[in-house]
Amino acid sequence: MVKRYTRPQMGEIWSDLSKFRFWLEVEKAICRAWHKLGKIPAQALEKIEKTYVDEEVLRRIEEYEKVYNHDVLAFVSAIGDQIRGYTQYFHMGITSSDIVDTALALQIREALRLILQDVDLVLEELKRLSLEHKHTLMMGRTHGMHAEPITLGLKFLVWYDEMKRNRQRLLEALDNISYGKIAGAVGTYSNLDPMVEKLALEELGLKPEPASTQIVHRDRHAQVVFSLAICATSLEKFATEIRHLQRTEVGEVEEPFREGQRGSSAMPHKKNPIHAERICGLARVIRSNLTASLENVVLWHERDISHSSAERVILPDSFIALDYILNLFLSILKGLKVNKDRMLKNMDLSFGLYASSKILTLLMEKGIDRDIAYQLVQRCAMRSYREEIPFRQSLMEDTEVSKYLTQEEIEKAIDPKSFLKHLDYIYDKVFGGDKDGSDV
């Protein structure tokens, strides 16, 4: 991922320096296990425990790899330079994937935990906004057209509930990726005592792959990328809504526009939803990586490396991009400008036609055949559209409608607040019965 979209903490997790440090962490855990089983003497383990990876060691790994064309062997040799006389005890009885896949689980686990922190911050802000704007009236839209009144808080509540599901998916992916394998070339422990795997993975906080081959199976990694991709897609959904609501013709919300910011090189008046658009663009990148991750599940026999090159791109990029757009979305939410007056003004653009469903229901409750009632309401609605007059006026002036509905009944149905009488019920479903949401 390009530096422009890389936040420092997530970028560090996916750096080469961190990768080799994760590898060394796994190697040391294996050596400790061998020591407990009496295969590595205390003096050798003491020397191994002092090994490290810094910029100089990283340079040495790169030099060895130019010769070997094999990064794990390059790493082993660079660490071997620090334990001369004891190299026979390092990387003993294991294969490259024992280190790479187990360390990758640690790396992904750390990255997922950071993503979950990001998600929790977004959830907290969505909860705050849903409560702050619980009664901020606005028009609900379907197919881009006026439908029935909602509140801005309800929109944020919907997003909050969706992000809770994303959080759950991420937690499930975290559990499913927390597996390692230290079982040798094809998973048969041919040069290992299975206790090495058990002891080392316990120390690392991982579970053993029940039936590994040379690798930890890639359906686990695909689930991780899926959870990232669907979370990114949710963010794109939310950002797209903000983009629509910021359009000149709508103007109900605006993403932050800081002092000194410029929107266009040619048009000084422009305040474009560039951050919401950026979220949409990067979400597409994350989502596209899911295809490669699914294809990585299919490997030849006990393993080939067709997945390896793809993972070196899609895993860091997906995590880094999602970390970035989660925090970008959070900054949008915190600085979002809400134009309540414009929301009310926009409601009047459809002359009160949002009440057509209520009028239809009222007529049906009076015992009128549904199809006849529909025709009556539609006739009044089309007149309101055509003549640009209030829907209530069209209804009250219709001789057929007036036979069944009083002016008071029509006025009550037109009141937008009448559409929101069950708002508390919806909030209670999401917040577990605590109206202020404090239990979330």
Side-chain angles (χ1 to χ4, degrees):
M1 182 57 64
V2 296
K3 186 176 180 181
R4 179 184 179 92
Y5 306 127
T6 303
R7 289 168 53 83
Q9 193 172 355
M10 185 62 81
E12 174 58 29
I13 291 172
W14 292 102
S15 69
D16 283 343
L17 199 60
S18 287
K19 177 183 74 173
F20 290 122
R21 285 173 175 167
F22 281 120
W23 288 12
L24 185 57
E25 185 179 349
V26 175
E27 292 274 13
K28 286 182 177 180
I30 292 170
C31 289
R32 293 184 196 111
W34 274 128
H35 173 67
K36 289 177 182 178
L37 297 174
K39 293 290 186 177
I40 295 181
Q43 189 176 4
L45 181 62
E46 184 180 351
K47 190 73 173 178
I48 291 168
E49 292 283 17
K50 294 178 180 178
T51 57
Y52 58 89
V53 177
D54 61 8
E55 293 292 346
E56 176 57 28
V57 175
L58 183 60
R59 186 186 64 80
R60 292 287 293 154
I61 294 171
E62 291 169 351
E63 289 177 355
Y64 278 120
E65 188 172 4
K66 289 176 184 177
V67 178
Y68 300 163
N69 199 25
H70 194 294
D71 55 355
V72 175
L73 288 178
F75 161 78
V76 171
S77 290
I79 299 301
D81 291 342
Q82 301 176 39
I83 53 172
R84 297 200 182 278
Y86 299 101
T87 58
Q88 67 270 33
Y89 299 113
F90 191 78
H91 200 76
M92 183 172 66
I94 58 178
T95 190
S96 297
S97 290
D98 290 333
I99 301 303
V100 173
D101 282 10
T102 303
L104 183 58
L106 299 176
Q107 199 171 16
I108 291 174
R109 186 174 66 181
E110 188 167 328
L112 275 172
R113 285 171 176 169
L114 185 56
I115 291 293
L116 283 162
Q117 290 176 25
D118 296 337
V119 168
D120 285 344
L121 291 173
V122 169
L123 281 168
E124 183 180 342
E125 189 61 21
L126 285 172
K127 181 178 75 173
R128 185 189 70 79
L129 288 168
S130 72
L131 295 169
E132 179 182 339
H133 292 286
K134 182 176 181 179
H135 300 288
T136 300
L137 200 62
M138 69 181 296
M139 180 52 67
R141 298 172 173 90
T142 57
H143 304 275
M145 309 292 288
H146 282 198
E148 293 183 353
I150 60 170
T151 70
L152 181 60
L154 184 57
K155 193 178 291 287
F156 290 131
L157 189 72
V158 169
W159 296 358
Y160 173 88
D161 195 48
E162 185 164 335
M163 286 304 296
K164 283 204 305 183
R165 294 193 295 277
N166 281 315
R167 188 180 191 277
Q168 182 60 36
R169 280 186 284 265
L170 289 162
L171 285 171
E172 290 168 0
L174 176 59
D175 180 67
N176 203 42
I177 199 61
S178 296
Y179 283 78
K181 62 87 58 176
I182 304 166
V186 291
T188 59
Y189 306 96
S190 57
N191 297 302
L192 283 159
D193 185 326
M195 282 299 295
V196 172
E197 179 182 69
K198 184 178 186 297
L199 292 170
L201 294 183
E202 281 180 356
E203 180 183 324
L204 295 168
L206 300 175
K207 293 164 281 190
E209 181 71 83
S212 65
T213 55
Q214 192 175 85
I215 61 166
V216 169
H217 302 292
R218 260 43 195 181
D219 60 292
R220 298 187 184 278
H221 304 74
Q223 183 182 1
V224 169
V225 180
F226 170 78
S227 70
L228 302 180
I230 198 166
C231 184
T233 302
S234 293
L235 295 177
E236 182 179 3
K237 168 185 171 180
F238 309 154
T240 298
E241 180 69 9
I242 291 170
R243 291 169 61 192
H244 279 305
L245 295 179
Q246 187 165 333
R247 289 168 51 217
T248 303
E249 295 84 356
V250 182
E252 294 180 357
V253 302
E254 291 180 24
E255 69 173 45
F257 194 86
R258 67 174 184 267
E259 186 70 28
Q261 184 175 336
R262 299 185 179 190
S264 168
S265 63
M267 297 170 282
H269 73 279
K270 295 280 276 177
K271 291 170 67 177
N272 301 323
I274 59 169
H275 296 122
E277 290 171 340
R278 191 178 301 165
I279 289 170
C280 293
L282 290 175
R284 295 168 191 168
V285 173
I286 299 168
R287 196 161 50 244
S288 69
N289 288 341
L290 177 57
T291 299
S293 188
L294 289 169
E295 291 178 350
N296 282 347
V297 176
V298 184
L299 302 175
W300 286 13
H301 305 299
E302 279 58 60
R303 184 236 186 173
D304 62 64
I305 63 165
S306 59
H307 66 290
S308 177
S309 55
E311 284 179 354
R312 291 171 193 259
V313 176
I314 64 174
L315 289 177
D317 280 7
S318 296
F319 274 103
I320 288 170
L322 183 57
D323 175 58
Y324 177 80
I325 63 175
L326 276 165
N327 283 276
L328 186 59
F329 182 61
L330 180 62
S331 70
I332 292 174
L333 293 178
K334 287 185 173 181
L336 193 69
K337 180 181 177 182
V338 176
N339 191 339
K340 297 181 182 180
D341 291 339
R342 186 62 174 268
M343 290 177 174
L344 295 176
K345 184 178 180 180
N346 285 344
M347 290 186 68
D348 293 335
L349 293 175
S350 55
F351 315 111
L353 289 169
Y354 54 76
S356 68
S357 64
K358 277 198 173 293
I359 300 298
L360 174 62
T361 302
L362 279 174
L363 288 172
M364 292 169 64
E365 289 174 349
K366 299 286 186 178
I368 301 176
D369 178 83
R370 191 186 195 284
D371 195 51
I372 294 173
Y374 192 99
Q375 291 177 35
L376 287 176
V377 177
Q378 188 179 49
R379 181 175 70 202
C380 293
M382 292 306 105
R383 183 192 170 205
S384 181
Y385 263 130
R386 184 174 61 253
E387 299 179 16
E388 297 187 356
I389 62 173
F391 186 40
R392 61 166 56 84
Q393 178 184 339
S394 179
L395 290 166
M396 292 175 182
E397 292 177 355
D398 188 278
T399 55
E400 287 296 313
V401 172
S402 60
K403 289 180 183 179
Y404 304 102
L405 299 179
T406 66
Q407 291 189 9
E408 183 180 356
E409 286 175 319
I410 292 172
E411 289 288 356
K412 186 177 180 181
I414 296 291
D415 183 0
K417 293 181 182 178
S418 68
F419 290 81
L420 301 167
K421 59 185 177 182
H422 297 302
L423 198 59
D424 283 342
Y425 171 74
I426 301 170
Y427 271 71
D428 288 349
K429 284 198 297 179
V430 174
F431 290 146
D434 188 25
K435 288 186 172 64
D436 67 1
S438 59
D439 66 333
V440 179

